[in-house]
Amino acid sequence: MNKRTKVWAGVGAGVVVLGVVAVAVGPGLYADWANSNAEAAPTLEASATGGPVAATDGTWTVADGSFAGYRVEEVLRGEDVTVTGRTEDVTGSVTVEGGSLTAAEIEVDMASIATDEPPRDNYFRDQAVQVGTFPTATFTLTEPVELGDGVTSAQLTGDLTIRDVTQEVTVDAQVAGSGDAVQVVGSVPVTFADFGVQAPSLGFVTVEDTGAVEFDLRLTAS
């Protein structure tokens, strides 16, 4: 059996396991359990809300506590299931000049994104994203954003690259500061086909054609 056939066999077996579990416990109960394990959408911490944005000119680096990932909707035997994948393996930096965010380059290790189900993660890594060939995703800011005092709602325009496919996106984000740290949270809707990703459909489970990339960045002055 060649390597490609082994990969497909492993992925197929893993996904079938999910279907068998759902049948055994009942689609409704499985959906309730899966939905309870979905991560909440990123939000600003209470300690950051209302604080002045620390828009000191210079370079700000992604620090510990940051994460990025995705949110998708599945339909499993007629039941809606929300799935979130997360990784803290996020690196990058942003540049502030004259009180404006003028540059940003963020990189995410796609192989480390994980959900509550290893078989789903195997499919995501091996087939959907093919991390062996495309190990990272990046976001590059292309238009400057002015930073104000307190919580700032901002639209970040930039290039999102997944599987070496680059698309211009607009990210709905919130920015707030507390002391010498800045938190940036947000999400951007994505259509998988735009990045060459085919959403799987295996009869008992289908994945919506669209989803969202989510992030929570903690920035510290370099």
Side-chain angles (χ1 to χ4, degrees), residues 71-147:
R71 180 178 300 271
V72 298
E73 301 296 329
E74 295 179 347
V75 179
L76 178 62
R77 296 191 180 277
E79 298 290 338
D80 294 330
V81 178
T82 298
V83 176
T84 54
R86 294 282 189 265
T87 179
E88 295 184 356
D89 197 344
V90 184
T91 58
S93 63
V94 305
T95 301
V96 176
E97 295 180 2
S100 293
L101 179 63
T102 60
E105 182 76 27
I106 308 298
E107 183 174 279
V108 179
D109 175 45
M110 300 296 277
S112 62
I113 294 177
T115 67
D116 58 337
E117 291 287 353
R120 181 190 291 114
D121 297 338
N122 290 337
Y123 181 91
F124 173 81
R125 295 165 185 161
D126 295 335
Q127 300 302 320
V129 180
Q130 298 179 340
V131 296
T133 304
F134 312 106
T136 62
T138 61
F139 173 80
T140 303
L141 187 73
T142 56
E143 296 182 11
V145 179
E146 183 177 353
L147 300 177

XYZ file of all heavy atoms in Angstrom, residues 71-147:
581
model
N -13.145 28.335 13.273
C -14.483 27.951 13.728
C -15.273 27.517 12.502
O -15.369 28.275 11.522
C -15.181 29.118 14.431
C -16.597 28.806 14.948
C -17.173 30.025 15.663
N -16.341 30.404 16.809
C -16.493 29.931 18.040
N -17.467 29.077 18.297
N -15.701 30.328 19.005
N -15.825 26.310 12.528
C -16.628 25.804 11.418
C -17.897 25.171 11.964
O -17.981 24.811 13.142
C -15.854 24.770 10.561
C -14.625 25.392 9.935
C -15.485 23.544 11.392
N -18.870 25.022 11.080
C -20.130 24.364 11.425
C -20.239 23.050 10.660
O -20.035 23.014 9.445
C -21.319 25.265 11.093
C -21.310 26.609 11.794
C -21.424 26.495 13.297
O -22.079 25.532 13.771
O -20.863 27.359 14.002
N -20.530 21.981 11.382
C -20.770 20.670 10.783
C -22.241 20.293 10.953
O -22.907 20.767 11.877
C -19.909 19.599 11.459
C -18.414 19.769 11.279
C -17.629 18.690 11.999
O -18.220 17.956 12.830
O -16.428 18.585 11.732
N -22.707 19.438 10.076
C -24.038 18.857 10.229
C -23.858 17.342 10.308
O -23.408 16.713 9.350
C -24.974 19.227 9.062
C -26.339 18.575 9.268
C -25.114 20.733 8.946
N -24.159 16.786 11.478
C -23.967 15.365 11.722
C -25.330 14.704 11.909
O -25.997 14.906 12.919
C -23.103 15.161 12.969
C -22.843 13.719 13.397
C -22.081 12.968 12.304
C -22.066 13.690 14.702
N -25.744 13.957 10.897
C -27.056 13.292 10.917
C -28.168 14.256 11.326
O -29.004 13.959 12.181
C -27.026 12.068 11.835
C -26.080 10.981 11.368
C -26.265 9.705 12.122
N -25.347 8.677 11.648
C -25.552 7.893 10.577
N -26.663 8.043 9.873
N -24.663 6.995 10.229
N -28.152 15.444 10.700
C -29.196 16.429 10.913
C -28.987 17.336 12.100
O -29.780 18.264 12.318
N -27.946 17.114 12.898
C -27.670 17.934 14.073
C -26.536 18.912 13.774
O -25.508 18.532 13.202
C -27.282 17.051 15.271
C -28.374 16.094 15.719
C -29.533 16.824 16.377
O -29.330 17.949 16.857
O -30.638 16.239 16.443
N -26.717 20.183 14.176
C -25.691 21.199 13.968
C -24.625 21.097 15.050
O -24.934 21.037 16.248
C -26.304 22.601 13.998
C -27.256 22.842 12.837
O -27.036 22.236 11.771
O -28.214 23.626 12.998
N -23.377 21.084 14.620
C -22.244 20.972 15.541
C -21.250 22.080 15.237
O -20.838 22.254 14.082
C -21.544 19.602 15.416
C -20.338 19.528 16.344
C -22.519 18.473 15.700
N -20.861 22.837 16.256
C -19.835 23.861 16.110
C -18.488 23.276 16.519
O -18.363 22.662 17.581
C -20.139 25.090 16.991
O -21.370 25.671 16.575
C -19.039 26.131 16.866
N -17.492 23.472 15.660
C -16.149 22.938 15.905
C -15.151 24.089 15.931
O -15.170 24.955 15.047
C -15.744 21.931 14.814
C -14.307 21.463 15.026
C -16.694 20.748 14.812
N -14.288 24.100 16.939
C -13.223 25.100 17.002
C -11.878 24.408 17.130
O -11.739 23.441 17.888
C -13.413 26.051 18.198
O -13.533 25.284 19.400
C -14.645 26.920 18.020
N -10.905 24.900 16.376
C -9.530 24.430 16.483
C -8.658 25.573 16.967
O -8.869 26.724 16.562
N -7.686 25.271 17.816
C -6.869 26.311 18.421
C -5.394 25.907 18.447
O -5.063 24.728 18.543
C -7.307 26.583 19.866
C -8.694 27.183 20.014
C -8.661 28.674 19.688
N -9.925 29.326 20.026
C -10.893 29.519 19.169
N -10.779 29.053 17.930
N -12.000 30.145 19.536
N -4.523 26.908 18.383
C -3.100 26.709 18.640
C -2.532 27.960 19.289
O -2.969 29.079 18.983
C -2.303 26.412 17.354
O -0.904 26.262 17.698
C -2.422 27.531 16.331
N -1.590 27.772 20.199
C -0.877 28.890 20.797
C 0.467 29.114 20.107
O 1.235 29.980 20.531
C -0.670 28.636 22.296
C -1.979 28.599 23.081
C -1.766 28.440 24.571
O -0.594 28.287 24.993
O -2.759 28.471 25.317
N 0.721 28.326 19.070
C 1.976 28.462 18.325
C 1.812 29.573 17.290
O 1.652 29.320 16.084
C 2.337 27.138 17.659
C 3.800 27.083 17.227
O 4.435 28.158 17.166
O 4.304 25.979 16.962
N 1.805 30.810 17.777
C 1.616 31.998 16.949
C 2.808 32.929 17.169
O 3.186 33.191 18.319
C 0.316 32.738 17.313
C 0.084 33.920 16.375
C -0.877 31.789 17.289
N 3.371 33.421 16.094
C 4.506 34.332 16.194
C 4.261 35.544 15.304
O 3.367 35.548 14.456
C 5.819 33.649 15.766
O 5.678 33.159 14.415
C 6.160 32.490 16.678
N 5.081 36.585 15.503
C 4.979 37.746 14.641
C 5.166 39.039 15.396
O 5.468 39.049 16.602
N 4.964 40.132 14.706
C 5.140 41.449 15.311
C 4.324 42.477 14.549
O 3.914 42.244 13.405
C 6.620 41.849 15.297
O 7.096 41.959 13.963
N 4.090 43.605 15.211
C 3.412 44.739 14.578
C 4.260 45.982 14.826
O 5.041 46.049 15.772
C 1.981 44.944 15.123
C 1.163 43.677 14.996
C 2.021 45.391 16.582
N 4.080 46.967 13.959
C 4.825 48.218 14.069
C 3.859 49.367 14.261
O 2.855 49.478 13.555
C 5.674 48.464 12.815
O 6.578 47.368 12.638
C 6.462 49.756 12.938
N 4.152 50.215 15.251
C 3.342 51.397 15.528
C 4.183 52.641 15.236
O 5.311 52.761 15.709
C 2.862 51.416 16.990
C 2.101 52.710 17.289
C 1.980 50.210 17.271
N 3.607 53.534 14.438
C 4.270 54.799 14.120
C 3.242 55.917 14.176
O 2.180 55.825 13.556
C 4.907 54.758 12.724
C 6.044 53.762 12.573
C 6.638 53.766 11.180
O 6.168 54.592 10.337
O 7.526 52.955 10.898
N 3.548 56.965 14.942
C 2.651 58.104 15.020
C 1.262 57.760 15.509
O 0.279 58.370 15.089
N 1.151 56.785 16.408
C -0.152 56.403 16.939
C -0.979 55.541 16.018
O -2.158 55.308 16.282
N -0.382 55.034 14.945
C -1.098 54.171 14.008
C -0.374 52.845 13.850
O 0.862 52.773 13.937
C -1.227 54.835 12.633
O -2.058 55.969 12.677
N -1.163 51.792 13.672
C -0.605 50.491 13.344
C -0.273 50.504 11.857
O -1.162 50.571 11.010
C -1.630 49.403 13.660
C -1.236 47.961 13.365
C -0.063 47.546 14.215
C -2.432 47.038 13.633
N 1.015 50.476 11.551
C 1.441 50.640 10.158
C 1.878 49.348 9.492
O 1.931 49.272 8.263
C 2.588 51.657 10.072
O 3.697 51.190 10.868
C 2.148 53.023 10.577
N 2.209 48.344 10.280
C 2.653 47.081 9.699
C 2.363 45.949 10.672
O 2.360 46.145 11.893
C 4.146 47.120 9.375
N 2.110 44.772 10.128
C 1.897 43.589 10.955
C 2.178 42.349 10.121
O 1.798 42.281 8.946
C 0.470 43.545 11.500
N 2.843 41.409 10.730
C 3.122 40.124 10.081
C 2.934 39.042 11.136
O 3.706 38.960 12.103
C 4.548 40.077 9.534
C 4.899 38.788 8.799
C 4.302 38.703 7.396
O 4.077 39.762 6.800
O 4.069 37.584 6.917
N 1.890 38.230 10.975
C 1.563 37.193 11.940
C 1.643 35.832 11.255
O 1.132 35.653 10.147
C 0.145 37.386 12.530
C -0.019 38.818 13.066
C -0.129 36.358 13.612
C 0.922 39.177 14.183
N 2.261 34.861 11.941
C 2.409 33.517 11.387
C 1.857 32.482 12.352
O 2.099 32.556 13.560
C 3.878 33.224 11.092
C 4.114 31.868 10.431
C 5.555 31.662 10.021
O 5.950 32.171 8.950
O 6.298 31.017 10.796
N 1.122 31.517 11.821
C 0.491 30.465 12.627
C 0.988 29.104 12.151
O 0.995 28.826 10.949
C -1.042 30.526 12.505
C -1.685 29.408 13.325
C -1.564 31.881 12.953
N 1.398 28.267 13.101
C 1.800 26.900 12.797
C 0.546 26.039 12.632
O -0.128 25.709 13.615
C 2.679 26.360 13.915
C 3.035 24.902 13.716
O 3.398 24.525 12.582
O 2.926 24.118 14.683
N 0.238 25.673 11.400
C -1.016 24.971 11.124
C -1.028 23.547 11.667
O -2.074 23.014 12.019
C -1.275 24.953 9.618
C -1.397 26.337 8.989
S -2.823 27.259 9.616
C -4.128 26.594 8.588
N 0.143 22.905 11.758
C 0.197 21.522 12.220
C -0.179 21.380 13.681
O -0.557 20.296 14.125
C 1.590 20.947 11.988
N -0.090 22.464 14.443
C -0.367 22.388 15.874
C -1.815 22.736 16.220
O -2.209 22.654 17.385
C 0.578 23.313 16.651
O 0.390 24.666 16.273
N -2.629 23.122 15.239
C -4.042 23.417 15.511
C -4.764 22.128 15.871
O -4.671 21.130 15.161
C -4.708 24.088 14.301
C -4.101 25.472 14.060
C -6.213 24.203 14.508
C -4.655 26.179 12.847
N -5.497 22.160 16.986
C -6.147 20.943 17.460
C -7.574 21.225 17.918
O -7.882 22.313 18.410
C -5.349 20.329 18.606
N -8.443 20.214 17.757
C -9.810 20.249 18.262
C -9.928 19.203 19.374
O -8.919 18.737 19.902
C -10.822 19.944 17.145
O -10.659 18.560 16.731
C -10.595 20.849 15.940
N -11.156 18.805 19.690
C -11.358 17.780 20.706
C -11.341 16.378 20.117
O -11.530 15.405 20.843
C -12.689 18.018 21.432
C -13.875 18.030 20.469
O -13.653 18.298 19.269
O -15.003 17.779 20.906
N -11.109 16.256 18.800
C -11.161 14.954 18.145
C -9.922 14.742 17.273
O -9.786 15.351 16.209
C -12.418 14.829 17.277
C -13.726 14.750 18.052
C -13.901 13.408 18.750
O -13.073 12.501 18.521
O -14.872 13.269 19.516
N -8.981 13.868 17.667
C -7.790 13.596 16.856
C -8.082 13.158 15.420
O -7.369 13.580 14.503
C -7.076 12.493 17.650
C -7.478 12.757 19.066
C -8.910 13.195 18.978
N -9.122 12.327 15.157
C -9.387 11.964 13.760
C -9.713 13.174 12.886
O -9.295 13.245 11.733
C -10.589 11.014 13.859
C -10.490 10.440 15.229
C -9.985 11.562 16.087
N -10.467 14.140 13.445
C -10.768 15.365 12.704
C -9.475 16.147 12.437
O -9.273 16.686 11.356
C -11.756 16.223 13.477
C -12.139 17.508 12.749
C -12.923 18.453 13.635
N -14.255 17.947 13.941
C -14.654 17.593 15.143
N -13.817 17.661 16.175
N -15.888 17.158 15.344
N -8.598 16.189 13.440
C -7.344 16.926 13.292
C -6.462 16.291 12.224
O -5.781 16.989 11.471
C -6.596 16.967 14.622
C -7.378 17.699 15.696
O -8.263 18.508 15.340
O -7.107 17.469 16.889
N -6.455 14.962 12.158
C -5.660 14.278 11.137
C -6.138 14.660 9.747
O -5.324 14.879 8.834
C -5.742 12.762 11.328
C -5.006 12.303 12.570
O -4.105 12.992 13.060
N -5.391 11.144 13.099
N -7.458 14.715 9.563
C -7.990 15.109 8.255
C -7.589 16.545 7.939
O -7.150 16.856 6.826
C -9.511 14.973 8.217
C -10.083 15.342 6.864
C -10.253 14.375 5.877
C -10.401 16.668 6.554
C -10.732 14.713 4.621
C -10.876 17.011 5.307
C -11.039 16.036 4.344
O -11.502 16.399 3.107
N -7.737 17.440 8.920
C -7.386 18.849 8.724
C -5.927 18.995 8.301
O -5.607 19.727 7.347
C -7.646 19.607 10.025
C -7.167 21.035 10.016
C -7.924 22.038 9.429
C -5.953 21.379 10.605
C -7.482 23.359 9.411
C -5.505 22.689 10.596
C -6.269 23.674 10.000
N -5.023 18.292 8.979
C -3.598 18.449 8.709
C -3.164 17.765 7.416
O -2.421 18.351 6.626
C -2.791 17.888 9.882
C -2.993 18.666 11.174
C -2.485 17.879 12.377
N -2.787 18.575 13.623
C -2.799 17.994 14.808
N -2.544 16.703 14.913
N -3.075 18.713 15.890
N -3.629 16.518 7.215
C -3.126 15.733 6.100
C -3.808 16.029 4.773
O -3.165 16.030 3.730
C -3.269 14.232 6.405
C -2.401 13.808 7.584
O -1.391 14.478 7.844
O -2.763 12.822 8.252
N -5.132 16.311 4.827
C -5.874 16.472 3.589
C -6.329 17.905 3.341
O -6.102 18.448 2.268
C -7.098 15.534 3.587
C -6.730 14.062 3.708
C -5.803 13.612 2.595
O -5.985 14.015 1.455
N -4.826 12.789 2.922
N -6.961 18.518 4.309
C -7.511 19.857 4.086
C -6.407 20.884 3.862
O -6.432 21.637 2.887
C -8.383 20.258 5.267
N -5.431 20.925 4.764
C -4.379 21.950 4.679
C -3.078 21.404 4.121
O -2.286 22.144 3.555
C -4.152 22.577 6.076
C -3.076 23.649 6.023
C -5.446 23.184 6.603
N -2.839 20.098 4.278
C -1.596 19.471 3.815
C -0.388 20.178 4.431
O 0.438 20.783 3.750
C -1.524 19.479 2.280
C -2.634 18.695 1.616
C -2.569 18.729 0.099
O -1.941 19.601 -0.489
N -3.230 17.777 -0.538
N -0.286 20.066 5.763
C 0.735 20.817 6.483
C 2.154 20.376 6.140
O 3.107 21.125 6.379
C 0.499 20.719 8.003
C -0.829 21.364 8.379
C 0.556 19.271 8.487
N 2.314 19.171 5.616
C 3.647 18.750 5.209
C 4.202 19.627 4.102
O 5.414 19.842 4.013
N 3.316 20.158 3.266
C 3.721 21.041 2.173
C 3.511 22.509 2.528
O 4.317 23.373 2.140
C 2.915 20.715 0.902
O 3.083 19.326 0.584
C 3.387 21.551 -0.283
N 2.448 22.793 3.270
C 2.104 24.181 3.626
C 2.000 24.288 5.149
O 0.893 24.263 5.700
C 0.778 24.581 2.968
C 0.684 24.239 1.510
C -0.111 23.189 1.074
C 1.400 24.971 0.569
C -0.202 22.875 -0.273
C 1.316 24.660 -0.779
C 0.523 23.614 -1.205
N 3.126 24.383 5.845
C 3.112 24.281 7.312
C 2.570 25.495 8.047
O 2.179 25.374 9.216
C 4.596 24.073 7.657
C 5.334 24.736 6.525
C 4.495 24.488 5.302
N 2.525 26.648 7.412
C 2.103 27.854 8.127
C 1.056 28.634 7.336
O 0.913 28.482 6.131
C 3.306 28.794 8.384
O 3.855 29.216 7.137
C 4.376 28.091 9.202
N 0.336 29.472 8.081
C -0.557 30.469 7.488
C -0.092 31.828 7.993
O 0.427 31.948 9.108
C -2.004 30.220 7.885
N -0.273 32.862 7.175
C 0.201 34.187 7.570
C -0.856 35.250 7.284
O -1.698 35.093 6.402
C 1.492 34.575 6.821
O 1.228 34.605 5.409
C 2.607 33.595 7.103
N -0.775 36.321 8.071
C -1.566 37.513 7.805
C -0.611 38.691 7.766
O 0.185 38.891 8.683
C -2.632 37.752 8.870
C -3.344 39.075 8.707
C -4.358 39.213 7.770
C -2.988 40.178 9.470
C -5.005 40.434 7.590
C -3.629 41.395 9.314
C -4.643 41.525 8.365
N -0.712 39.502 6.694
C 0.128 40.672 6.531
C -0.754 41.899 6.361
O -1.584 41.949 5.443
C 1.048 40.533 5.300
O 1.836 39.345 5.433
C 1.969 41.737 5.175
N -0.604 42.870 7.249
C -1.380 44.105 7.155
C -0.952 44.894 5.923
O 0.237 45.046 5.652
C -1.156 44.956 8.411
C -2.023 46.206 8.547
C -3.456 45.822 8.890
C -1.450 47.137 9.623
N -1.929 45.404 5.170
C -1.607 46.159 3.952
C -2.058 47.617 4.009
O -1.687 48.398 3.139
C -2.242 45.493 2.721
O -3.657 45.366 2.913
C -1.629 44.113 2.475
N -2.872 47.967 5.019
C -3.310 49.351 5.163
C -3.154 49.780 6.616
O -3.500 49.023 7.519
C -4.777 49.521 4.727
C -5.018 49.241 3.250
C -6.469 49.475 2.855
O -7.224 50.057 3.685
O -6.850 49.075 1.748
N -2.640 50.982 6.887
C -2.447 51.439 8.275
C -3.779 51.635 8.986
O -4.805 51.908 8.368
C -1.692 52.759 8.113
C -2.059 53.235 6.739
C -2.219 52.003 5.897
N -3.739 51.499 10.329
C -4.931 51.648 11.161
C -4.589 52.577 12.318
O -3.626 52.343 13.050
C -5.401 50.288 11.712
C -6.626 50.475 12.596
C -5.705 49.330 10.573
N -5.393 53.622 12.491
C -5.156 54.561 13.590
C -5.651 53.961 14.899
O -6.743 53.406 14.981
C -5.878 55.885 13.328
C -5.618 56.938 14.403
C -6.290 58.263 14.089
O -6.850 58.400 12.968
O -6.257 59.155 14.953
N -4.838 54.095 15.955
C -5.200 53.593 17.271
C -5.652 54.746 18.141
O -5.021 55.797 18.179
C -3.999 52.892 17.931
C -3.432 51.686 17.176
C -2.218 51.146 17.910
C -4.494 50.606 17.035
